[in-house]
Each structure stands twice: as structure tokens, then as C-alpha cells.
Amino acid sequence: MDFAKRMNLLGTENAFEVLSEVRKLEARGQHIISFAIGEPDFDTPEHIKRASIQALHENQTHYAPSAGLAELREAIAEHVSAMRGIPASPDEVVVTSGAKPIIYYAIHALVNPGDEVIYPNPGFPIYESVVRFVGGIPVPATLLESRDFRFDMDRFSRLVTSKTKLIILNSPQNPTGGMLTATDLAAIAQLAVEHDIWVLADEIYSRIVYEGNFTSIASFPGMKERTVILDGFSKTYAMTGWRLGYGVMPTELAQLVARLVTNSDSCTNTFVQFGGIAALRGPQDAVTAMVREFRTRRDGIVETLNRIPGISCKTPSGAFYVFPNVTDACRSLGLKTGKEFQRLLLEEAGVAVLPRTAFGTPGDDEEGEYVRLSYATSRDNIEEGLARIRRIVIG
Ligand code: PLP
């Protein structure tokens, strides 16, 4: 069969491969504890569901504007403005079916073939995939465990060339749970302004922060006009399956992104957008409770992992992932890679984690083997899963 050549450039999210292996093992009757899933194990708050159900009853079942319903764009602009301390207006907002399309659209609207794009490694695999798809050159910037999964800013600044068009940031970060500090962001902002570079700030985990305050790079001088903020409802309000997210960006770019929406989705589901309005304008106690529960789980999982010989785990500041170093555990089990460790855990212990390689190819300046565990699963599952890992490692 003869497909378009560009399809050879498009990558994927390997996480889904592990998930399908888990399903297969479960179908054979095995009880798998999964730390592989990147979504809250909470239900969407009732008042959000009610708002969308009511919208359905009121026949809000027609097309909406490509950029999103005016009332939702207003609510988003107010929220983004209050949370980040920056002015934001509804015409800078584009609503999308989940936050992920903002990555796809922003890269399509900004990156020419041959342009270089700096992105975090390990990181969300879709960045590299879409950059390659448009003919851009992916330039990975390593997040170092020794720096609490932040960049070495000297090395980072050496990645910038005259061809750098875009810097992608993700803080709090998937897969490490690390956060860039305000000092890091200030240094990156200075580079972006000096070299006239756009920034795509993936802030999908901005409300899931345990230590310190969330800072957006868009709030630094000269940055708002060159930043695309990506955020959404999936993680904060446990709404992954609803598919509702947004980007906030300069108006001219927002118009181009809306045109991409017109050419692909037409618009985001109309009655779902009413749920989004209720989420932003309604009570936030469910978010506070969820983040409090995640923090308790984080503290437990970090402590227990650090008590397993051969595993060491930093305490992440945000998101709901830990990214333990499993190098010594691999060595003592005679395994060469974290990928082999992941397979062993799945096949011998019935525990699903994701290998480091699901988040990009390790850079030359990275040492060690890692896996990602999501603690968006019950405390009982966490306890049982970690006990199984311990048994496998100590033999
Ligand atoms: N960005 C990062 C870093 C993520 O981890 C995810 C989801 O896993 C997304 C974006 C996409 O979010 P959504 O489900 O709203 O499309």
C-alpha cells in the first residue's frame, strides 16, 4: 500500500503499547497493578457533569465557533490572568479537544522545515513526534536527576542557534514530576527574548504542585507576546475522557490556530464546553482535595521506593509521577536497561511501569536507568505494587 511519505516521520506515545500489554495479561486472568496511566483516578466533580448534562437538555448540540464558546474563552482568560498574573483576553484563547492538539497546532503554525526546536528530554513524546512531522529539527535538552530534573542552564544555552524557532517547556513535568525554578525560567526567558524564539509552555500540571509556587514563563518581561500557554481540564478536574483543553497565545497566532481547528475538528464539542465553564467558575474544593491526596501518596511512594535496595527516588514537586533511578537494581538483577527492568516487573511481578525510553532517547549527558510510576492509583494499589517490586528486587 502506498501511503504519504510524511507518515514515516510521525512518532507515537509508547505508553499505549504498555497499556495494551497490560490488557492482554489481564485478559489471561493475571492481576496487574498499573502505575502506567497518566490520568487522575478520581471522578469528574458532579457540578461539572451536571452543567454539561443541562447543556445537552437545553439542546446545546450544535456547532460552536472554532476558537471556542465566547463564555468559556472569557472564563479561561480570567482564570489564566488571575493564576499567572498576566493580562489575557478571550481573543487570545483557543479551546481544543483536550490540551494535546495545542502541541500539534502550535508546532504547525510556528515551525518551518529546517527550524530547530528545543524540548525537554525525558519528556512527553508528542513534542518530538510533531516537530519531526513538520520537518523541524528536534533538539533535546536533558533534564538531569542531579539537578532535581532541571536543565543545566549552561548546556541549555549552548543548544540555542540562529535556527532555533521554538523552545518547549513542561513544568511541572511529565515524566519526572520535576519543576523548573523561577531562576531557570528567567534565564530561558532571557534567551528567548534575545534570540527571538517562541516558547510553548506546557502547563497542563500547573494546578498539581506540592512545593513552591507555580510560575509561568509568560509572566516574565517580553514573554507574553512570544509564549503559547497550554493548559486544560484533563488533569486538574479529572476530565481526561471529556477532551477539553486550551491554548493562550498572541491574537494573530490564535487566529491561525483557530483556522487549523476549522480544518480538522471544526470545533470542540459544544456541551462539553459548558462543563468547562462550570469547572473554572464553580467550587475548587475537589481540586484541593485531589491534590492533597496526591501529596500523601507521593510522600508514601517516595519513602517506600527509597527503602528498596538499588532504587533511589527524588521527591517530585508536582504532577503525579515519580521517576526513580533503578540503575543499581538493574545491575543486581543482571539487567542492562530500565526497559528490561520494566518487562521483568510486568511479566514476573504483574506491575506495570513505563520505561525511560517511552519519553525519548537518553542523551549523552544522561547517566543511569529510570522508570516512571504514576501514583494516580489507589493507596492500596500503591502499597501492593511496591511490595511486589520489592520482592522482585531483593529476590
Ligand atoms: N502535556 C503533557 C505533558 C501531558 O502529560 C499530557 C497528557 O498526558 C498532555 C499534554 C495532554 O493532555 P490532554 O489529555 O488534555 O490532551
Side-chain angles (χ1 to χ4, degrees):
M1 276 179 276
D2 186 20
F3 301 118
K5 286 193 187 58
R6 76 172 70 82
M7 290 311 295
N8 297 329
L9 299 172
L10 196 62
T12 187
E13 240 183 283
N14 290 343
F16 288 105
E17 279 170 26
V18 173
L19 295 182
S20 80
E21 280 173 52
V22 169
R23 298 272 136 71
K24 263 190 236 152
L25 291 170
E26 281 173 341
R28 278 194 237 139
Q30 280 207 41
H31 175 231
I32 307 293
I33 304 263
S34 181
F35 292 107
I37 300 179
E39 63 174 345
D41 55 318
F42 294 86
D43 294 328
T44 305
E46 283 304 321
H47 68 282
I48 301 176
K49 292 191 227 169
R50 271 199 307 274
S52 275
I53 292 167
Q54 190 187 335
L56 260 176
H57 284 309
E58 288 171 2
N59 295 310
Q60 297 288 355
T61 52
H62 301 276
Y63 290 127
S66 289
L69 292 175
E71 195 186 342
L72 178 57
R73 292 166 80 200
E74 220 166 88
I76 291 168
E78 273 169 27
H79 167 74
V80 164
S81 176
M83 195 183 152
R84 276 112 174 143
I86 50 171
S89 70
D91 61 6
E92 294 170 317
V93 176
V94 183
V95 177
T96 44
S97 306
K100 210 180 203 178
I102 292 295
I103 300 171
Y104 192 87
Y105 296 146
I107 292 172
H108 273 75
L110 291 171
V111 178
N112 280 313
D115 285 347
E116 293 176 3
V117 180
I118 300 174
Y119 66 99
N121 182 32
F124 194 48
I126 299 307
Y127 309 139
E128 180 184 347
S129 167
V130 182
V131 169
R132 284 191 196 283
F133 195 52
V134 300
I137 300 167
V139 179
T142 308
L143 290 163
L144 297 161
E145 184 194 9
S146 57
R147 297 184 55 79
D148 292 326
F149 297 112
R150 290 158 45 222
F151 303 114
D152 174 325
M153 280 314 301
D154 286 337
R155 282 191 214 158
F156 188 97
S157 59
R158 286 198 293 275
L159 298 176
V160 173
T161 74
S162 59
K163 290 193 188 151
T164 309
K165 184 67 184 286
L166 175 67
I167 294 172
I168 302 176
L169 301 176
N170 176 214
S171 175
Q173 212 246 352
N174 177 8
T176 65
M179 264 173 81
L180 300 176
T181 61
T183 316
D184 297 333
L185 293 172
I188 297 168
Q190 201 180 340
L191 284 171
V193 170
E194 254 172 47
H195 298 268
D196 192 18
I197 302 167
W198 282 89
V199 170
L200 170 58
D202 183 339
E203 300 179 351
I204 193 83
Y205 297 103
S206 54
R207 301 276 296 278
I208 307 176
V209 169
Y210 314 109
E211 250 82 54
N213 290 325
F214 170 77
T215 308
S216 174
I217 193 161
S219 63
F220 288 83
M223 285 310 295
K224 206 198 143 217
E225 55 265 40
R226 58 178 68 255
T227 302
V228 178
I229 295 172
L230 172 156
D231 204 344
F233 298 82
S234 299
K235 318 281 176 177
T236 308
Y237 299 101
M239 289 172 69
T240 46
W242 289 60
R243 309 312 300 137
L244 188 63
Y246 55 85
V248 182
M249 64 205 86
T251 311
E252 260 179 273
L253 179 60
Q255 284 164 355
L256 295 182
V257 169
R259 204 192 298 171
L260 283 163
V261 177
T262 306
N263 276 270
S264 51
D265 272 2
S266 289
C267 66
T268 301
N269 177 314
T270 305
F271 54 84
V272 158
Q273 295 191 54
F274 283 87
I277 297 166
L280 291 177
R281 297 235 154 111
Q284 302 296 307
D285 47 334
V287 182
T288 312
M290 183 181 77
V291 174
R292 194 182 309 126
E293 171 63 19
F294 279 151
R295 177 198 287 263
T296 306
R297 293 182 196 171
R298 176 202 66 161
D299 292 345
I301 202 168
V302 168
E303 196 190 328
T304 311
L305 280 170
N306 278 318
R307 275 201 252 112
I308 301 176
I311 297 184
S312 65
C313 184
K314 293 265 181 191
T315 304
S317 304
F320 38 70
Y321 308 111
V322 284
F323 200 63
N325 185 325
V326 295
T327 315
D328 291 343
C330 287
R331 300 293 169 266
S332 66
L333 290 163
L335 306 172
K336 284 201 201 68
T337 64
K339 172 82 191 151
E340 289 178 10
F341 185 67
Q342 174 259 322
R343 290 215 68 85
L344 181 80
L345 289 185
L346 186 58
E347 285 161 13
E348 305 288 325
V351 173
V353 301
L354 292 182
R356 180 323 173 198
T357 46
F359 304 96
T361 309
D364 297 340
D365 48 348
E366 180 180 315
E367 285 167 14
E369 302 299 328
Y370 302 87
V371 291
R372 188 196 81 174
L373 282 74
S374 156
Y375 47 91
T377 184
S378 70
R379 291 192 207 185
D380 285 351
N381 271 350
I382 294 172
E383 197 179 316
E384 167 67 14
L386 294 180
R388 290 186 188 186
I389 295 176
R390 184 182 177 84
R391 279 199 292 276
I392 285 283
V393 172
I394 63 177

